[in-house]
Amino acid sequence: MTAQEHLPYDAFVELAAADPAVVGLVLKGSQAHEGMTTEHSDHDLYVILADGATTELTRFTGHRTPELDLVILSLDRFRAAGMPGFERYALARSQIVLDRLDGVIAQILADKARLAADAAFHEADAWLDAYANSLYRSVKNDRDGHALAARLDATDSIRFLLELLFALDRRPRPYNKYLEWELARFPLPGWDTELLLGAMNHISATGDVSTQRCLFAQVEVAARQAGHDAVLDAWGEDLHLMRPQRGCPGGLGTATLAAWGFHNRP
C-alpha cells in the first residue's frame, strides 16, 4: 500500500497502533466534535512518533484524501503544535485514539486547552483594545452616515470580542464553525449563551449601534472585574461614545434581551 492508494481510517489506525514507533494518535476536526459530522467530513489524524524513532509510516507523510488527512510528527513537534497558532483550538478539543505514554498525550492536550494566566491576561489586553477600536469606529461611522463602514467595523468588532471573551476564560477561541458547539457544552462564565450569540448575530447583520453599546456595557464590567482598567481608561472621553446613551433592556449576562427580539439562536 502506498500513500497514493485508498487508505481507510480504521485500517490506518490499526496499522499505526501496531507500530512501536507510534506513541499517540489524536483525532481532530468534525469527527472529534459530537454531532458535527456530515457526509463530507474526513478524519484529521495526528500520528505522533517517539522522538528520534524511525518508521515506514513516514511514507504516508502528506497523505490527504476525502476520507483521511494525516499529520505525522515527533512528540516534541506535537508539544509545540498550535503554541501559538490556529491549530490550538483544534487540538484542545481533539480526541485521543491512542496514548502509549500513560497520559502524556492527554496532558499535552490539556495544556493546549488552557492558556497560561499571564499570557491570557496580555492577550485579553490586546483583544480588548482591538474590540474597543472597532466598536468606536463603527459608532463614529454610523454617526457620520457611513452605513457600510459602520457595519463592517461592527462585524470586525465581533471577531475581537470573541477572542477577548475566551482569553478572559483562559481558553483558545473556537473556529466559527464550532462556536455554538463550544458554548453549548462549555459556556463562558457570566454570559448567557443564547443571548450573547443573539446579540452578536444582530450586530453582525445590522451594525445596530444601540445593541453594540449595550453589549459593550457588559463587556466593560467583565473586563474591569478581570483587571483590564488601564486599557479601557486609555480611551478617555471616547468611552462615552461607546457606552449606552439610554437604558438597555436587561443584562446580557444575567437577564434578558427579549426586548431586542433575541429569542432563539441565530
Side-chain angles (χ1 to χ4, degrees):
M1 180 180 293
T2 68
Q4 287 72 40
E5 294 175 349
H6 174 69
L7 182 61
Y9 168 74
D10 291 337
F12 180 81
V13 167
E14 182 177 356
L15 182 67
D19 191 323
V22 176
V23 296
L25 297 171
V26 171
L27 182 68
K28 69 182 182 73
S30 298
Q31 297 286 352
H33 288 71
E34 182 182 2
M36 291 296 294
T37 58
T38 71
E39 60 182 311
H40 307 292
S41 299
D42 64 355
H43 292 79
D44 296 294
L45 190 68
Y46 272 80
V47 183
I48 307 159
L49 306 178
D51 293 325
T54 58
T55 171
E56 291 188 0
L57 291 179
T58 54
R59 73 185 188 275
F60 293 111
T61 298
H63 180 91
R64 187 171 187 178
T65 68
E67 181 179 355
L68 181 61
D69 186 358
L70 296 177
V71 177
I72 301 175
L73 74 179
S74 68
L75 182 62
D76 275 348
R77 287 182 58 204
F78 182 69
R79 289 182 191 276
M83 301 291 278
F86 68 94
E87 281 287 270
R88 184 163 188 169
Y89 173 77
L91 289 167
R93 292 291 180 230
S94 61
Q95 292 183 3
I96 296 174
V97 179
L98 174 69
D99 185 351
R100 278 207 177 99
L101 300 178
D102 296 325
V104 170
I105 302 298
Q107 185 58 56
I108 291 174
L109 295 178
D111 291 342
K112 295 179 190 296
R114 187 72 169 162
L115 278 61
D118 287 347
F121 186 89
H122 290 302
E123 286 186 23
D125 259 0
W127 293 124
L128 174 59
D129 198 46
Y131 166 61
N133 185 282
S134 287
L135 168 63
Y136 180 67
R137 291 175 181 275
S138 178
V139 173
K140 283 203 310 178
N141 281 324
D142 180 80
R143 178 197 65 191
D144 298 338
H146 305 301
L148 176 59
R151 290 196 302 274
L152 292 175
D153 285 326
T155 300
D156 286 345
S157 78
I158 295 303
R159 173 202 164 197
F160 300 132
L161 173 59
L162 285 169
E163 297 282 6
L164 167 62
L165 294 181
F166 280 94
L168 287 174
D169 198 33
R170 295 177 56 187
R171 291 155 60 184
R173 175 195 162 179
Y175 306 150
N176 292 332
K177 176 180 179 179
Y178 301 122
L179 177 62
E180 291 179 276
W181 184 97
E182 176 78 13
L183 292 180
R185 291 158 178 79
F186 310 99
L188 290 164
W191 293 89
D192 183 298
T193 294
E194 298 287 339
L195 302 180
L196 177 61
L197 289 173
M200 292 191 296
N201 181 58
H202 187 65
I203 290 168
S204 297
T206 69
D208 180 63
V209 168
S210 63
T211 305
Q212 291 193 73
R213 284 170 164 160
C214 288
L215 179 56
F216 177 74
Q218 300 298 316
V219 173
E220 182 174 4
V221 170
R224 290 190 183 280
Q225 288 176 342
H228 300 281
D229 301 78
V231 173
L232 291 164
D233 292 341
W235 282 88
E237 295 298 313
D238 290 334
L239 286 173
H240 296 306
L241 193 64
M242 304 182 214
R243 289 168 174 160
Q245 307 298 296
R246 52 185 180 273
C248 294
L252 282 169
T254 58
T256 177
L257 298 180
W260 287 344
F262 303 152
H263 304 291
N264 299 296
R265 281 189 184 177

